[in-house]
Amino acid sequence: RRNSLIYQAVDKSDSTTSQQQAHSTAQTSYLSPIIQVLQSTTGFYCVLVFSTIIVLISIFSTTRSLTLFSLHPICMSFGVLLCLPQGIIAYRNNSLLDTLSPIMQHNKRTKVRSIHQTLQIMGAIFMFLGFLFVLSHNIELKLSVLPESIHSILGTVSLVLIIIQIIVGHDKLEHLESSKKKGVTRRWHGELGLLLWDMLCVTLVSGLASFLSLSFTHLLIESSVLLVWLAVHAQMLHHSPVAVQVRQLQLHSDSFADDDEFDPLELSVDHSSSLGPDTVVVNNSSTISAATGGHYGYGGDGDDEDDAHFV
């Protein structure tokens, strides 16, 4: 285990890929300052708190009271704008891990899984409560309980996908924690999670559009929801693992004496390192010098053995 392994990273990018990346960069350059703010931990949490507060204020200013119907958007806002975003980025941003780690047991990977699972379940509970409140409201007023509007259809589909994600996520967790089972399982769980996040944001926007009257304040509220959506994707992109094709690269196994502490989520790229054009930083201390060509992965949920995208 303590013998050195030799690998060498090779850049597999071609001219077509470079042109596509350049074109994409040119198209999104005007968003760069906003993206940089959203990629910071402070900026991310400020957006979450601000958006949740402004949505709640708009709800209370419209309803003026707590009713079965007003509790629906309140619960949905807490679930979608506060709980889910933090759960989604738990594998990519270590701020919650650093905060809660002293009072948690087990290794880092288990801690991150617990944080992700807890926040996602909390978000799901809030959303199902919101669903029950609006269902009770419709029954009380003798309205149809079947989804008819775009908002209700998207919401129903989202709830079904949430149930699927909970079942699949639990199965994946059992697989990963089993000492007898190795390898990748349910890799699409993370991909479906991002798709579900997009759908939930569209559902929330459509719901607010039907709930609030058209005004400047309404546009500001809708923009804050879209900002939360963008913040999650900015965090995922900024903290995503490095994607490199590996053939020969010197890797000292002494750096990984404790397998439990080796977490693919803690791989990052240091472009300014003197060790090479790009340096893959492992666990914030050990380094692997590699000409990676600047490729970054964006798939998976970070919880599989190969989510660092090494080949």
Side-chain angles (χ1 to χ4, degrees):
R1 180 174 295 275
R2 293 185 178 275
N3 293 332
S4 295
L5 303 177
I6 305 299
Y7 301 89
Q8 181 180 9
V10 292
D11 185 2
K12 292 290 186 179
S13 61
D14 52 24
S15 58
T16 303
T17 304
S18 300
Q19 291 174 358
Q20 291 175 347
Q21 292 176 343
H23 180 65
S24 176
T25 302
Q27 286 183 327
T28 59
S29 59
Y30 64 94
L31 287 176
S32 295
I34 299 177
I35 297 297
Q36 289 176 1
V37 172
L38 298 179
Q39 286 177 339
S40 67
T41 300
T42 302
F44 175 77
Y45 281 101
C46 284
V47 167
L48 259 60
V49 173
F50 170 77
S51 299
T52 304
I53 291 176
I54 195 174
V55 169
L56 292 178
I57 290 175
S58 67
I59 293 171
F60 284 116
S61 64
T62 302
T63 61
R64 305 284 180 173
S65 63
L66 277 177
T67 63
L68 286 175
F69 183 74
S70 64
L71 286 172
H72 168 70
I74 291 173
C75 289
M76 291 299 183
S77 299
F78 275 116
V80 177
L81 297 180
L82 270 185
C83 298
L84 291 187
Q86 297 180 77
I88 292 173
I89 71 164
Y91 286 108
R92 308 298 175 126
N93 187 317
N94 289 331
S95 57
L96 275 179
L97 175 64
D98 295 337
T99 302
L100 300 176
S101 186
I103 60 174
M104 299 178 68
Q105 297 180 348
H106 305 295
N107 57 59
K108 290 183 179 179
R109 181 175 296 175
T110 302
K111 292 177 182 178
V112 173
R113 287 173 183 164
S114 298
I115 292 173
H116 169 76
Q117 185 182 42
T118 301
L119 286 169
Q120 299 300 77
I121 290 177
M122 288 176 59
I125 290 174
F126 273 116
M127 284 185 286
F128 277 105
L129 283 175
F131 169 73
L132 291 177
F133 283 130
V134 76
L135 186 65
S136 300
H137 168 77
N138 288 347
I139 294 175
E140 183 181 36
L141 298 181
K142 297 181 180 180
L143 300 175
S144 174
V145 295
L146 297 177
E148 296 177 346
S149 64
I150 294 177
H151 170 70
S152 60
I153 293 174
L154 287 174
T156 303
V157 174
S158 297
L159 289 177
V160 172
L161 290 178
I162 287 173
I163 295 174
I164 294 175
Q165 283 290 82
I166 291 174
I167 296 173
V168 172
H170 179 72
D171 178 68
K172 179 174 182 176
L173 184 62
E174 285 189 339
H175 179 96
L176 292 171
E177 290 181 345
S178 174
S179 60
K180 298 180 181 180
K181 299 177 182 179
K182 299 294 181 182
V184 183
T185 179
R186 308 291 191 270
R187 182 66 181 274
W188 52 268
H189 174 70
E191 306 294 344
L192 180 58
L194 287 177
L195 177 62
L196 178 56
W197 166 245
D198 295 340
M199 183 178 295
L200 285 170
C201 288
V202 174
T203 305
L204 186 57
V205 168
S206 63
L208 291 172
S210 61
F211 182 72
L212 304 174
S213 58
L214 183 61
S215 63
F216 173 77
T217 304
H218 178 198
L219 295 178
L220 178 63
I221 294 168
E222 298 281 23
S223 299
S224 68
V225 175
L226 294 177
L227 201 58
V228 174
W229 169 81
L230 184 61
V232 169
H233 283 284
Q235 286 284 320
M236 294 292 289
L237 183 62
H238 180 58
H239 294 279
S240 62
V242 183
V244 292
Q245 304 243 354
V246 178
R247 189 174 63 192
Q248 282 187 334
L249 177 74
Q250 187 170 10
L251 172 63
H252 296 286
S253 59
D254 288 348
S255 302
F256 311 111
D258 183 358
D259 282 349
D260 287 340
E261 292 301 317
F262 175 64
D263 196 334
L265 302 175
E266 297 185 24
L267 294 175
S268 59
V269 171
D270 183 2
H271 296 282
S272 61
S273 174
S274 60
L275 296 179
D278 288 305
T279 299
V280 182
V281 181
V282 183
N283 293 341
N284 299 319
S285 57
S286 308
T287 57
I288 306 172
S289 179
T292 63
H295 292 294
Y296 298 88
Y298 190 39
D301 53 13
D303 201 26
D304 285 316
E305 298 295 335
D306 69 340
D307 269 347
H309 300 293
F310 283 104
V311 181

